[in-house]
């Protein structure tokens, strides 16, 4: 009776080994398959965003849309400065209370003006960030096109790379393609003087 039990146990153990081998076989076969060799290219996206003509033109357009608002704020700032200088000249003939009251009023106006400047600058920066994000998408697509022509199958942003062989850098080629295609990001002006971006027109 004991012998039969041992034989049965051995049979179960042997079957388990065979089953395990059968389960592992596909994984082993997959591991033995040869993976494609990585051909890497580096693209400095931030550099393209900084020096490319489309980026410069878009930035100038945003500044132009907000120029009227900025000019108005600058004029109001100059007027406040002139009022402060005139008040200082009158200080000798004004009572301390009258001088302090007028000075406090000018300070409140100056603080309000500074807040308006911050709002306008914030809106401009917000729009510029949106434009750069749209352009970044286009640059990535163009980098993929250039890489395909060179047989590259892996692209890496320069900002995320510690070191690399300079021969792997295709930034100048992507920059030339970006400038040549000159993609546009439409920018419209809101009533409050801010600007917003719309989807760039696709160029075939």
């Amino acid at each position: 009776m004991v012998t039969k039990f041992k034989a049965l146990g051995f049979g179960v153990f042997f079957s388990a080994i065979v089953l395990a081998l059968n389960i592992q076989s596909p994984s082993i076969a997959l591991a033995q398959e040869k993976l494609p060799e990585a051909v890497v290219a580096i693209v400095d996206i931030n550099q393209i965003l900084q020096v490319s003509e489309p980026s410069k033109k878009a930035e100038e357009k945003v500044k132009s849309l907000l120029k009227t608002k900025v000019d108005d704020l600058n004029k109001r700032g100059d007027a406040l400065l002139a009022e402060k200088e005139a008040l200082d000249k009158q200080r000798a003939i004004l009572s301390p209370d009258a001088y302090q009251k007028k000075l406090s009023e000018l300070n409140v106006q100056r603080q309000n003006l500074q807040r308006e400047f911050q709002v306008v600058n914030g809106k401009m920066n917000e729009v510029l960030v949106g434009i750069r994000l749209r352009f970044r998408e286009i640059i990535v697509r163009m980098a993929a096109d250039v890489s395909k022509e060179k047989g590259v199958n892996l692209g890496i942003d320069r900002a995320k790379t510690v070191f690399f062989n300079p021969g792997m850098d295709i930034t100048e080629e992507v920059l030339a393609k970006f400038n040549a295609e000159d993609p546009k990001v439409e920018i419209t002006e809101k009533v409050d003087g801010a600007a917003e971006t719309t989807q760039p027109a696709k160029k075939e």
Side-chain angles (χ1 to χ4, degrees):
M1 180 66 70
V2 175
T3 303
K4 290 182 179 180
F5 179 78
K6 287 184 177 180
L8 179 60
F10 179 79
V12 172
F13 179 71
F14 181 78
S15 298
I17 294 176
V18 174
L19 180 60
L21 289 174
N22 289 336
I23 293 175
Q24 292 176 3
S25 294
S27 299
I28 295 173
L30 288 174
Q32 291 175 345
E33 290 182 6
K34 185 177 180 181
L35 295 175
E37 182 179 354
V39 183
V40 183
I42 305 296
V43 183
D44 195 335
I45 297 178
N46 288 332
Q47 174 71 6
I48 296 174
L49 288 172
Q50 289 175 5
V51 305
S52 65
E53 291 303 318
S55 295
K56 291 179 180 178
K57 287 187 286 188
E59 183 174 346
E60 287 302 318
K61 187 170 183 179
V62 172
K63 291 180 179 179
S64 177
L65 287 172
L66 296 175
K67 185 177 184 302
T68 301
K69 183 67 174 179
V70 172
D71 289 346
D72 176 65
L73 293 173
N74 284 329
K75 288 179 182 179
R76 289 163 58 189
D78 292 341
L80 284 177
L81 181 60
E83 286 188 57
K84 174 63 169 55
E85 292 174 350
L87 178 63
D88 289 340
K89 291 179 181 180
Q90 297 175 357
R91 185 171 187 176
I93 61 176
L94 293 174
S95 67
D97 289 344
Y99 175 81
Q100 288 299 328
K101 180 180 179 181
K102 183 61 178 176
L103 182 61
S104 296
E105 292 174 354
L106 290 177
N107 283 333
V108 170
Q109 294 181 52
R110 178 181 57 82
Q111 291 171 1
N112 290 337
L113 192 62
Q114 288 177 339
R115 280 194 288 268
E116 289 188 56
F117 264 116
Q118 291 173 354
V119 170
V120 170
N121 284 332
K123 290 182 184 298
M124 182 172 67
N125 290 333
E126 181 181 344
V127 173
L128 289 176
V129 168
I131 291 173
R132 292 186 184 111
L133 287 175
R134 302 279 175 83
F135 277 158
R136 177 179 287 271
E137 295 175 359
I138 299 173
I139 291 170
V140 170
R141 174 177 58 80
M142 292 184 177
D145 292 340
V146 173
S147 297
K148 186 176 180 181
E149 296 170 0
K150 293 177 169 293
V152 172
N153 55 22
L154 178 62
I156 302 177
D157 188 355
R158 174 66 180 88
K160 300 177 181 179
T161 308
V162 178
F163 64 90
F164 61 93
N165 187 314
M168 301 164 66
D169 194 338
I170 61 171
T171 300
E172 290 301 320
E173 294 172 71
V174 178
L175 173 61
K177 185 177 180 64
F178 189 61
N179 283 334
E181 292 197 16
D182 194 19
K184 301 292 191 301
V185 175
E186 295 300 327
I187 306 169
T188 57
E189 189 174 11
K190 293 180 180 178
V191 177
D192 61 0
E196 60 181 358
T197 61
T198 58
Q199 291 290 347
K202 293 183 178 180
K203 298 187 68 175
E204 299 298 334

